Amino acid sequence: MQQQLQQQCRAGLRRPQQPQMASSSRALLQSRRPAPWGNCSQRTRRIAVPSAAAAAASTPKVDDEDLMQFPDRYKWYEAKFAADDMPDWIAGRFISSTQQAPYMRLLTFEVEVSRERVPLRNAYKAAGQRMAVRVNGGEKRLLTVASPPHPEELNKEALFLCKGDIFAGETKQAREPTSTMAEVQVLVNAKEAPEVYNMGADDLITVGPFECEGLDMRSSGIQALFRFPTVVIFASGHGIATAAALLESPLGAPTHLSPTLRSDVRVYYNAPNRTSLCLTDRFEKWEEQLTVEVVATTNGFMDAWDGDDTLVYDPEATAAIILTGGDEEAEAAALEVCKEAEVTAIVSDSQAAAPPVYLDSTPKSFLRWRKDPEAEAMAAAAAAADGNVTSEDLTD
């Protein structure tokens, strides 16, 4: 009896046998099961999971009392300089044309000089600058200026209005910028700028920014009257126009020479022949009003220097200004004269003055809020890379 009870208990605890599965079904189930890690033949894709710190950093924090959070906040404090929003090219007017030599003419234009319409960086400020013009919308031409920079008295009204001041009892209201026109003379060669050389009153002219910074008179020290009481100028070609602008420059111009305050100022003007001499009608005026003597020659600078027996000079107190209009051969001849005369203080039109440093419209204390799109994009990419968690390659 006891043996029968033990057999029945064993039979009740025994698991029921499952039916046998076909070999095809068994193979199908095995194919659906994932392969063990050791037998993985392909790499799994990386999954970037943003971290909580990156998500918090991407959420902008708004502080109602912090005005610098607004975009381009620094522009609220920018200073608006005069004529910064004016076009670079302004219409001018043709006045006259005078034949100076074969294929050389002196043209006179009326141009805009108001500081409310022409920014300082585009204005004619110093002798040696070149005037950019277009005739009838054609090609841009650079011309040598033969007239001095305009005195600041012409811009007295415009400069006063630029400050935005008003008189007592006056009410601020919108107004048109002040226009001030002045004459500019340029020396033009028929081969270099034929459309300018042949232009007349019916042609339209637009004037662009004056290029180059003019002669380097300040850093060279030539403007020191008592240091260099004697100044000799070597001019040829277009250089005689620059010499005229230099000699006639007003006292406030960066290139003023003040010839009446020096002991001796002479111009050695070389030309291929007598008919090629330009601006001869000004020589008498220079001698009477500016006490400048002009020595014209057709045999070169050395011959004119050796033939001038009236010049008494001290090499250490003498400065030389070479104005050849880009003619390297003529400049080399003038440098040879300076070497023989032991004159070391030399200024040349081939080496312009250093460009001036203009004021920044944004205060320096606000420059840190100026946004750089490229820098911001790089910073955002770096922050995203640091805040994401990437899984390693799932390899055994």
Side-chain angles (χ1 to χ4, degrees):
M1 186 67 179
Q2 187 176 0
Q3 293 179 357
Q4 291 179 358
L5 292 175
Q6 291 179 355
Q7 290 177 0
Q8 291 177 2
C9 291
R10 292 192 187 98
L13 295 175
R14 189 178 300 166
R15 292 182 178 178
Q17 296 183 357
Q18 298 181 359
Q20 296 291 334
M21 298 180 61
S23 60
S24 60
S25 299
R26 187 182 299 110
L28 179 61
L29 290 174
Q30 290 179 355
S31 63
R32 292 180 177 176
R33 294 176 180 174
W37 299 117
N39 299 329
C40 181
S41 59
Q42 297 182 353
R43 296 175 180 267
T44 59
R45 298 175 60 185
R46 293 188 175 185
I47 303 175
V49 181
S51 64
S58 60
T59 304
K61 297 181 179 179
V62 180
D63 186 0
D64 295 337
E65 297 182 358
D66 184 13
L67 297 179
M68 293 304 171
Q69 64 184 324
F70 296 102
D72 298 334
R73 167 66 176 174
Y74 68 94
K75 292 185 178 180
W76 295 16
Y77 300 93
E78 280 187 338
K80 183 181 181 300
F81 293 111
D84 273 355
D85 54 350
M86 289 292 176
D88 289 337
W89 290 84
I90 303 177
R93 186 173 68 91
F94 171 83
I95 295 181
S96 64
S97 176
T98 306
Q99 195 74 35
Q100 294 291 317
Y103 307 105
M104 294 289 284
R105 286 181 179 176
L106 183 69
L107 275 69
T108 304
F109 301 111
E110 190 178 50
V111 301
E112 183 66 62
V113 297
S114 172
R115 191 62 72 244
E116 283 198 303
R117 293 182 179 269
V118 181
L120 181 61
R121 64 182 72 247
N122 293 349
Y124 178 38
K125 304 177 290 294
Q129 287 186 279
R130 308 192 70 185
M131 179 179 176
V133 300
R134 286 196 180 107
V135 178
N136 299 324
E139 184 180 354
K140 172 185 173 181
R141 299 292 187 181
L142 295 178
L143 310 177
T144 305
V145 184
S147 55
H150 304 103
E152 289 297 332
E153 287 77 7
L154 290 178
N155 266 308
K156 182 177 181 180
E157 180 182 359
L159 291 174
F160 175 80
L161 295 175
C162 282
K163 299 187 296 181
D165 294 342
I166 59 176
F167 293 99
E170 186 179 359
T171 304
K172 281 191 175 182
Q173 56 185 355
R175 60 175 182 81
E176 288 294 326
T178 304
S179 177
T180 304
M181 307 298 291
E183 293 184 2
V184 174
Q185 293 181 323
V186 293
L187 193 62
V188 183
N189 188 297
K191 298 179 181 179
E192 297 176 358
E195 72 278 11
V196 183
Y197 181 85
N198 297 314
M199 74 175 300
D202 296 334
D203 295 314
L204 300 178
I205 180 176
T206 52
V207 181
F210 283 77
E211 299 194 5
C212 181
E213 300 299 336
L215 301 176
D216 187 10
M217 299 290 292
R218 290 185 174 178
S219 63
S220 61
I222 293 181
Q223 285 185 324
L225 301 175
F226 299 100
R227 182 181 177 186
F228 298 105
T230 303
V231 176
V232 292
I233 301 175
F234 299 94
S236 67
H238 289 280
I240 190 62
T242 306
L246 174 64
L247 293 173
E248 299 173 7
S249 293
L251 185 61
T255 53
H256 72 89
L257 191 62
S258 303
T260 56
L261 301 179
R262 301 180 190 266
S263 60
D264 198 346
V265 177
R266 302 197 180 192
V267 179
Y268 295 95
Y269 180 23
N270 181 50
N273 48 65
R274 288 290 175 178
T275 59
S276 300
L277 295 174
C278 299
L279 305 181
T280 54
D281 56 334
R282 301 191 186 186
F283 294 170
E284 184 177 354
K285 171 187 174 183
W286 293 348
E287 186 172 0
E288 293 179 357
Q289 299 182 6
L290 304 178
T291 64
V292 175
E293 181 180 353
V294 180
V295 180
T297 180
T298 59
N299 299 324
F301 293 130
M302 187 65 73
D303 183 78
W305 178 267
D306 294 338
D308 188 4
D309 298 332
T310 60
L311 178 63
V312 179
Y313 72 98
D314 178 7
E316 296 183 357
T318 302
I321 303 176
I322 302 176
L323 307 174
T324 59
D327 189 344
E328 297 181 357
E329 185 177 354
E331 182 178 358
L335 290 174
E336 184 65 24
V337 175
C338 294
K339 181 178 180 181
E340 182 176 331
E342 299 181 354
V343 176
T344 58
I346 302 173
V347 170
S348 175
D349 57 0
S350 61
Q351 298 179 353
V357 179
Y358 295 96
L359 295 176
D360 196 338
S361 59
T362 305
K364 291 185 177 180
S365 58
F366 290 90
L367 289 179
R368 55 176 174 164
W369 284 286
R370 177 180 292 177
K371 296 183 179 180
D372 186 354
E374 184 177 354
E376 289 184 352
M378 295 177 61
D386 294 340
N388 290 342
V389 179
T390 58
S391 60
E392 299 293 339
D393 293 340
L394 299 179
T395 56
D396 192 6

